[in-house]
Amino acid sequence: MSGYVLAIDQGTTSTRAIVFDGKMKVAGVGQKEFTQHYPKPGWVEHDPEEIWSSVLVTVRKAIEAAGITAKDISALGITNQRETVVVWDRETGKPIHNAIVWQDRRTASYCEKLKRQNLEKLFTRRTGLLLDPYFSGTKLAWLLTNVKGARSLAAKGKLCFGTIDTFLIWRLTGGKSFVTDATNASRTLMYNIGANEWDEELLDILRVPAAMLPEVKDCADDFGVTDSSHFGAEIPILGVAGDQQAATIGQACFERGMMKSTYGTGCFALLNTGADMVRSKSRLLTTIAYRLNGETTYALEGSIFIAGAAVQWLRDGLKAIQRASDSGELAAKADPLQEVYLVPAFTGLGAPHWDPDARGAIFGLTRNTGPEEIVRAALEAVCYQSRDLLDAMHRDWRNGSGQDTVLRVDGGMVASDWTMQRLADLLDAPVDRPTILETTALGAAWLAGSRAGVWPDRAGFAKAWARDKRFEPGMDDKTRNAKLKGWKSAVSRTLSTRQG
């Protein structure tokens, strides 16, 4: 077999397909954005058919760009936006509704209802998650309740539920494989992460028939083969992981205490806690980092809903910048005497606040405030939120080695030296940027390539990880503490009445 491995990275705003060669280097890329649908305030949807079409287009582009054919590809890995829900007809394969995206907040009142019934502790104990609209379970319950005939069809076993990975695998295999992996299952509010199985009691509470749910596999496993009609030859699907777990793998965070943070549309930090299923006291999530050879590795996760999306807002909403890449340069020109804070609660606040009703706000504006200060505030907001997550993780779990945390970073925002330096300054911790920034796709590719036997094992892959640049903290304690105090004040004034 060749060393070529294909990765499908199905994200929130675009789909990417990347062909890696036998040396784990990028050989070909295809990318396509797709439509974001906002039917009501706080609602976010995708058209599953458009996502499927984007996968076909980008994979074909990537294979062509690599100068190979599908016959040269030894394995396929899939990574995906997590928590996004698709329900489709088991016979026709057609979705019954648009996909409900992880950012969607329509089930906030249902989550509150479940909390009033004192059910959050049960859900958290079984799944490691909180009762928040972010997760898949309440989205699925909404579809079954609100799509005409859905509950009846589901009861008869005629509907399939899946996160995006499951839907894509179903389509890629011509309906032969109805499967997911442990990381995606762990984000549904329906999966018992200790027992590693769907939880019947939680399914009963959410009124979800078990027959709708896919089989759960290890992250590196046999997920079926693609139908040859799609790309010209069958390709074994041998690796699957949700995007943040795939990035953790791609960053080679295989040891307890290692931590990565991905700065894409949102920001997601994962701390590897090994075999320990750490119960957070700081409203972080306990989740499955990966499951390999039947052994589960857990993580603490902090989720920030708005990171790169704030830069998109600066570009598309405020027209403050022409290109996202301009943000660091403009922020560097901001007046250091003006302390402007942007709390980007455009879709509520994630960890550690979990306030779906909070909304964005800017504090500290004066007559002298201009685009430079607002852009700086948007970039700093990502850094402040990362500090909140790091503090919460340290409260919940300390690295037994006593070593200070070194944060490995990836995602679109990390290309900005200014932002990464400010991140190191506000974290008061080193930040490592890898040479390969495609860590999410690389993680999915490694799962598949190692399973196929054409890529290194875990130790060999970790050894191959290489740092592009380390950012060391350079801000003095007085300045840092003053800025952090201002941030906490801004957040406290942004929380909803219910939270505050």
Side-chain angles (χ1 to χ4, degrees):
M1 291 188 291
S2 77
Y4 286 105
V5 177
L6 170 66
I8 295 172
D9 183 356
Q10 203 300 297
T12 307
T13 59
S14 71
T15 299
R16 305 191 78 193
I18 301 177
V19 173
F20 294 90
D21 65 21
K23 295 181 180 179
M24 299 183 287
K25 303 297 184 185
V26 174
V29 179
Q31 181 167 353
K32 185 175 176 59
E33 292 188 359
F34 54 87
T35 310
Q36 308 294 305
H37 299 274
Y38 306 101
K40 293 183 181 181
W43 291 27
V44 190
E45 296 179 357
H46 293 156
D47 178 355
E49 297 292 355
E50 188 179 5
I51 288 178
W52 168 240
S53 175
S54 73
V55 167
L56 295 178
V57 169
T58 55
V59 168
R60 290 165 184 162
K61 281 183 179 178
I63 292 173
E64 182 181 359
I68 62 173
T69 70
K71 292 180 181 179
D72 299 313
I73 297 173
S74 297
L76 165 61
I78 296 174
T79 182
N80 56 286
Q81 51 167 318
R82 304 173 304 172
E83 298 97 13
T84 296
V85 169
V86 187
V87 175
W88 64 95
D89 187 290
R90 190 182 291 270
E91 294 178 4
T92 67
K94 292 183 178 180
I96 66 168
H97 190 276
N98 271 350
I100 302 181
V101 180
W102 61 271
Q103 298 163 314
D104 190 282
R105 315 305 288 170
R106 76 185 65 185
T107 63
S109 60
Y110 182 42
C111 290
E112 287 304 311
K113 179 183 176 182
L114 294 173
K115 289 178 184 178
R116 289 195 297 272
Q117 295 171 358
N118 296 316
L119 290 170
E120 185 166 55
K121 286 185 178 179
L122 172 64
F123 276 91
T124 300
R125 188 166 65 250
R126 303 279 178 83
T127 70
L129 309 177
L130 300 168
L131 283 173
D132 187 87
Y134 175 29
F135 305 108
S136 309
T138 57
K139 293 176 168 64
L140 174 55
W142 186 94
L143 287 170
L144 291 175
T145 300
N146 290 278
V147 176
K148 187 176 180 180
R151 194 169 294 283
S152 173
L153 289 170
K156 296 174 183 176
K158 293 186 176 182
L159 295 183
C160 294
F161 153 79
T163 41
I164 294 294
D165 60 303
T166 301
F167 176 66
L168 293 182
I169 294 169
W170 174 279
R171 284 288 179 91
L172 287 166
T173 62
K176 293 176 182 175
S177 291
F178 183 38
V179 293
T180 189
D181 85 294
T183 68
N184 277 295
S186 76
R187 311 296 294 190
T188 61
L189 271 178
M190 299 180 288
Y191 192 70
N192 187 316
I193 62 173
N196 265 290
E197 62 187 16
W198 298 112
D199 192 291
E200 291 185 7
E201 184 176 0
L202 301 184
L203 294 179
D204 286 343
I205 293 170
L206 295 170
R207 299 180 64 203
V208 171
M212 292 186 73
L213 306 178
E215 177 188 355
V216 181
K217 290 178 169 282
D218 284 357
C219 299
D221 212 324
D222 180 8
F223 294 89
V225 296
T226 66
D227 192 285
S228 60
S229 64
H230 297 314
F231 311 120
E234 292 183 346
I235 305 172
I237 306 171
L238 298 179
V240 176
D243 53 8
Q244 302 312 318
Q245 284 92 340
T248 303
I249 293 165
Q251 289 276 33
C253 291
F254 294 128
E255 302 298 326
R256 293 172 78 246
M258 295 185 74
M259 181 180 175
K260 75 90 200 177
S261 192
T262 298
Y263 296 93
T265 301
C267 165
F268 302 87
L270 268 76
L271 174 70
N272 184 328
T273 61
D276 297 331
M277 194 163 53
V278 177
R279 301 295 187 179
S280 175
K281 298 177 182 177
S282 306
R283 294 181 66 77
L284 298 176
L285 307 177
T286 305
T287 197
I288 293 177
Y290 47 84
R291 196 175 82 195
L292 298 172
N293 300 317
E295 295 185 1
T296 303
T297 295
Y298 296 95
L300 280 173
E301 176 175 325
S303 308
I304 297 169
F305 298 147
I306 300 294
V311 180
Q312 291 176 325
W313 173 71
L314 292 173
R315 182 191 65 192
D316 303 333
L318 287 190
K319 313 292 184 186
I321 53 176
Q322 289 187 323
R323 297 177 300 275
S325 56
D326 296 336
S327 57
E329 184 178 342
L330 202 60
K333 297 177 181 177
D335 180 0
L337 298 179
Q338 289 195 58
E339 285 297 347
V340 178
Y341 293 92
L342 166 65
V343 183
F346 302 147
T347 55
L349 284 173
H353 309 287
W354 295 105
D355 184 355
D357 299 320
R359 287 298 174 263
I362 302 177
F363 298 93
L365 296 175
T366 71
R367 283 282 285 116
N368 291 328
T369 302
E372 295 87 352
E373 287 73 34
I374 292 175
V375 170
R376 182 187 64 191
L379 297 182
E380 285 187 328
V382 177
C383 305
Y384 288 128
Q385 291 178 100
S386 298
R387 173 63 188 250
D388 289 345
L389 296 183
L390 194 65
D391 287 348
M393 286 177 172
H394 282 164
R395 287 194 295 271
D396 285 333
W397 191 83
R398 270 286 184 185
N399 184 350
S401 68
Q403 296 289 322
D404 290 334
T405 300
V406 176
L407 183 65
R408 290 185 173 183
V409 296
D410 55 82
M413 292 189 76
V414 308
S416 167
D417 282 8
W418 188 92
T419 307
M420 292 302 98
Q421 184 57 56
R422 187 53 54 101
L423 178 63
D425 288 341
L426 292 174
L427 293 182
D428 194 19
V431 171
D432 281 356
R433 181 171 65 195
T435 54
I436 297 180
L437 297 180
E438 303 287 357
T439 53
T440 304
L442 181 63
W446 176 78
L447 289 169
S450 61
R451 173 78 178 182
V454 297
W455 277 21
D457 62 9
R458 200 181 319 190
F461 182 68
K463 189 176 180 180
W465 184 92
R467 182 173 66 208
D468 167 57
K469 187 173 182 178
R470 169 167 287 186
F471 298 86
E472 296 280 2
M475 184 178 287
D476 64 85
D477 290 345
K478 182 179 179 181
T479 301
R480 180 187 305 109
N481 292 337
K483 291 175 79 68
L484 291 171
K485 182 179 179 181
W487 165 253
K488 289 177 180 176
S489 173
V491 170
S492 70
R493 288 182 281 170
T494 307
L495 295 172
S496 65
T497 304
R498 178 173 58 81
Q499 289 279 333

